[in-house]
Short mmCIF file of all heavy atoms in Angstrom, two decimals:
data_model
loop_
_atom_site.label_atom_id
_atom_site.label_comp_id
_atom_site.label_asym_id
_atom_site.label_seq_id
_atom_site.Cartn_x
_atom_site.Cartn_y
_atom_site.Cartn_z
N ILE N 223 100.03 78.50 202.91
CA ILE N 223 98.70 78.11 203.41
C ILE N 223 98.94 76.90 204.44
O ILE N 223 99.68 76.04 204.14
CB ILE N 223 97.76 77.70 202.27
CG1 ILE N 223 96.33 77.31 202.87
CG2 ILE N 223 98.33 76.61 201.44
CD1 ILE N 223 95.34 77.25 201.84
N THR N 224 98.31 77.10 205.56
CA THR N 224 98.47 76.04 206.59
C THR N 224 97.49 75.03 206.29
O THR N 224 96.51 75.16 205.56
CB THR N 224 98.33 76.66 208.01
OG1 THR N 224 96.89 77.06 208.16
CG2 THR N 224 99.14 77.91 208.28
N LYS N 225 97.51 73.88 207.04
CA LYS N 225 96.55 72.80 206.94
C LYS N 225 95.23 73.21 207.38
O LYS N 225 94.24 72.56 207.01
CB LYS N 225 97.07 71.60 207.74
CG LYS N 225 97.29 71.74 209.24
CD LYS N 225 97.74 70.54 209.84
CE LYS N 225 97.89 70.70 211.38
NZ LYS N 225 98.46 69.38 212.05
N ARG N 226 95.00 74.32 208.08
CA ARG N 226 93.72 74.89 208.54
C ARG N 226 93.37 76.05 207.63
O ARG N 226 92.48 76.81 208.09
CB ARG N 226 93.85 75.12 209.94
CG ARG N 226 94.09 73.98 210.85
CD ARG N 226 93.84 74.27 212.40
NE ARG N 226 92.48 74.36 212.64
CZ ARG N 226 91.86 74.73 213.78
NH1 ARG N 226 92.69 75.10 214.76
NH2 ARG N 226 90.54 74.67 213.97
N ASP N 227 94.00 76.21 206.54
CA ASP N 227 93.66 77.22 205.50
C ASP N 227 93.98 78.68 206.01
O ASP N 227 93.39 79.60 205.42
CB ASP N 227 92.22 77.14 205.11
CG ASP N 227 91.88 75.89 204.31
OD1 ASP N 227 92.90 75.32 203.65
OD2 ASP N 227 90.74 75.41 204.43
N ASN N 228 94.92 78.90 206.88
CA ASN N 228 95.43 80.17 207.21
C ASN N 228 96.38 80.59 206.14
O ASN N 228 97.28 79.91 205.86
CB ASN N 228 95.96 80.21 208.57
CG ASN N 228 96.31 81.71 209.11
OD1 ASN N 228 95.80 82.60 208.54
ND2 ASN N 228 97.13 81.75 210.09
N THR N 229 96.17 81.77 205.55
CA THR N 229 97.06 82.13 204.31
C THR N 229 97.80 83.40 204.58
O THR N 229 97.49 84.19 205.35
CB THR N 229 96.12 82.39 203.09
OG1 THR N 229 95.10 83.38 203.43
CG2 THR N 229 95.34 81.06 202.75
N TYR N 230 98.86 83.44 203.73
CA TYR N 230 99.86 84.57 203.85
C TYR N 230 100.27 84.86 202.34
O TYR N 230 100.38 84.02 201.57
CB TYR N 230 101.11 84.39 204.58
CG TYR N 230 102.21 85.26 204.23
CD1 TYR N 230 102.38 86.52 204.92
CD2 TYR N 230 103.22 84.99 203.29
CE1 TYR N 230 103.36 87.39 204.52
CE2 TYR N 230 104.17 85.89 203.01
CZ TYR N 230 104.23 87.04 203.61
OH TYR N 230 105.29 87.98 203.27
N TYR N 231 100.26 86.20 202.03
CA TYR N 231 100.68 86.62 200.64
C TYR N 231 101.68 87.69 200.82
O TYR N 231 101.64 88.63 201.68
CB TYR N 231 99.55 87.14 199.91
CG TYR N 231 98.39 86.22 199.68
CD1 TYR N 231 97.33 86.06 200.52
CD2 TYR N 231 98.44 85.37 198.55
CE1 TYR N 231 96.30 85.10 200.36
CE2 TYR N 231 97.41 84.43 198.35
CZ TYR N 231 96.35 84.35 199.21
OH TYR N 231 95.37 83.40 199.05
N VAL N 232 102.70 87.68 199.92
CA VAL N 232 103.66 88.80 199.83
C VAL N 232 102.80 90.00 199.20
O VAL N 232 101.88 89.76 198.48
CB VAL N 232 104.84 88.42 198.88
CG1 VAL N 232 104.43 88.26 197.44
CG2 VAL N 232 105.92 89.46 199.07
N ASP N 233 103.21 91.18 199.61
CA ASP N 233 102.48 92.47 199.24
C ASP N 233 102.23 92.50 197.81
O ASP N 233 101.11 93.01 197.41
CB ASP N 233 103.13 93.66 199.79
CG ASP N 233 103.04 93.84 201.30
OD1 ASP N 233 102.16 93.16 201.90
OD2 ASP N 233 103.70 94.65 201.95
N SER N 234 103.15 92.21 197.05
CA SER N 234 103.12 92.37 195.60
C SER N 234 102.10 91.57 194.87
O SER N 234 101.67 91.96 193.77
CB SER N 234 104.45 92.15 194.95
OG SER N 234 104.86 90.86 195.13
N VAL N 235 101.48 90.52 195.55
CA VAL N 235 100.47 89.70 194.89
C VAL N 235 99.13 89.78 195.57
O VAL N 235 98.15 89.20 195.13
CB VAL N 235 100.96 88.28 194.64
CG1 VAL N 235 102.41 88.18 194.08
CG2 VAL N 235 100.94 87.53 196.15
N LYS N 236 99.08 90.48 196.64
CA LYS N 236 97.81 90.50 197.42
C LYS N 236 96.68 91.13 196.49
O LYS N 236 96.93 92.11 195.80
CB LYS N 236 97.97 91.42 198.65
CG LYS N 236 98.74 90.72 199.73
CD LYS N 236 98.87 91.66 200.95
CE LYS N 236 99.66 91.02 202.11
NZ LYS N 236 99.87 91.96 203.31
N GLY N 237 95.54 90.46 196.56
CA GLY N 237 94.39 90.94 195.75
C GLY N 237 94.48 90.32 194.34
O GLY N 237 93.41 90.44 193.62
N ARG N 238 95.59 89.74 193.98
CA ARG N 238 95.61 89.16 192.60
C ARG N 238 95.76 87.63 192.65
O ARG N 238 95.27 86.97 191.77
CB ARG N 238 96.83 89.78 191.82
CG ARG N 238 96.75 91.28 191.60
CD ARG N 238 97.84 91.80 190.65
NE ARG N 238 99.19 91.56 191.19
CZ ARG N 238 100.14 90.80 190.57
NH1 ARG N 238 99.86 90.17 189.44
NH2 ARG N 238 101.34 90.62 191.20
N PHE N 239 96.50 87.14 193.61
CA PHE N 239 96.82 85.76 193.63
C PHE N 239 95.94 85.01 194.80
O PHE N 239 95.70 85.71 195.80
CB PHE N 239 98.29 85.46 193.91
CG PHE N 239 99.19 85.69 192.78
CD1 PHE N 239 98.78 86.35 191.67
CD2 PHE N 239 100.48 85.26 192.86
CE1 PHE N 239 99.70 86.62 190.68
CE2 PHE N 239 101.31 85.53 191.87
CZ PHE N 239 100.94 86.18 190.81
N THR N 240 95.54 83.82 194.71
CA THR N 240 94.77 83.07 195.75
C THR N 240 95.49 81.77 195.82
O THR N 240 95.50 80.93 194.92
CB THR N 240 93.36 82.90 195.40
OG1 THR N 240 92.74 84.25 195.21
CG2 THR N 240 92.63 82.20 196.58
N ILE N 241 95.97 81.35 197.08
CA ILE N 241 96.46 80.07 197.36
C ILE N 241 95.32 79.17 197.96
O ILE N 241 94.62 79.71 198.78
CB ILE N 241 97.73 80.13 198.23
CG1 ILE N 241 98.41 78.82 198.34
CG2 ILE N 241 97.36 80.65 199.59
CD1 ILE N 241 99.85 78.90 198.97
N SER N 242 95.34 77.98 197.60
CA SER N 242 94.43 77.02 198.18
C SER N 242 94.93 75.66 198.15
O SER N 242 96.02 75.37 197.59
CB SER N 242 93.09 77.08 197.34
OG SER N 242 93.24 76.68 196.11
N ARG N 243 94.23 74.65 198.91
CA ARG N 243 94.70 73.32 198.94
C ARG N 243 93.58 72.39 198.99
O ARG N 243 92.53 72.67 199.53
CB ARG N 243 95.71 73.15 200.03
CG ARG N 243 95.03 73.33 201.46
CD ARG N 243 96.21 73.41 202.52
NE ARG N 243 96.80 72.18 202.90
CZ ARG N 243 97.83 71.97 203.62
NH1 ARG N 243 98.43 73.09 204.08
NH2 ARG N 243 98.33 70.78 203.83
N ASP N 244 93.78 71.15 198.51
CA ASP N 244 92.84 70.09 198.62
C ASP N 244 93.61 68.96 199.35
O ASP N 244 94.36 68.22 198.81
CB ASP N 244 92.45 69.54 197.23
CG ASP N 244 91.24 68.63 197.32
OD1 ASP N 244 91.21 67.86 198.40
OD2 ASP N 244 90.56 68.43 196.36
N ASN N 245 93.28 68.88 200.69
CA ASN N 245 94.04 67.87 201.46
C ASN N 245 93.76 66.40 201.21
O ASN N 245 94.57 65.64 201.22
CB ASN N 245 93.60 68.17 202.97
CG ASN N 245 94.22 69.52 203.50
OD1 ASN N 245 95.24 70.02 203.00
ND2 ASN N 245 93.38 70.15 204.38
N ALA N 246 92.53 66.20 200.65
CA ALA N 246 92.18 64.81 200.25
C ALA N 246 92.92 64.38 198.99
O ALA N 246 93.22 63.21 198.90
CB ALA N 246 90.59 64.73 199.88
#
C-alpha cells in the first residue's frame, strides 16, 4: 500500500485480504 492508499495484492489473496494503513 502506498502513502496515497494505492494497493496491490498477490493473486492468491485477492478478495480475502485487505491491506490498510493509519499514517497518523
Side-chain angles (χ1 to χ4, degrees):
I223 183 168
T224 70
K225 61 183 178 182
R226 302 191 71 187
D227 292 333
N228 191 15
T229 59
Y230 162 84
Y231 299 92
V232 68
D233 286 344
S234 60
V235 308
K236 286 180 179 177
R238 300 189 297 121
F239 291 10
T240 302
I241 189 170
S242 62
R243 63 194 287 171
D244 186 334
N245 293 327

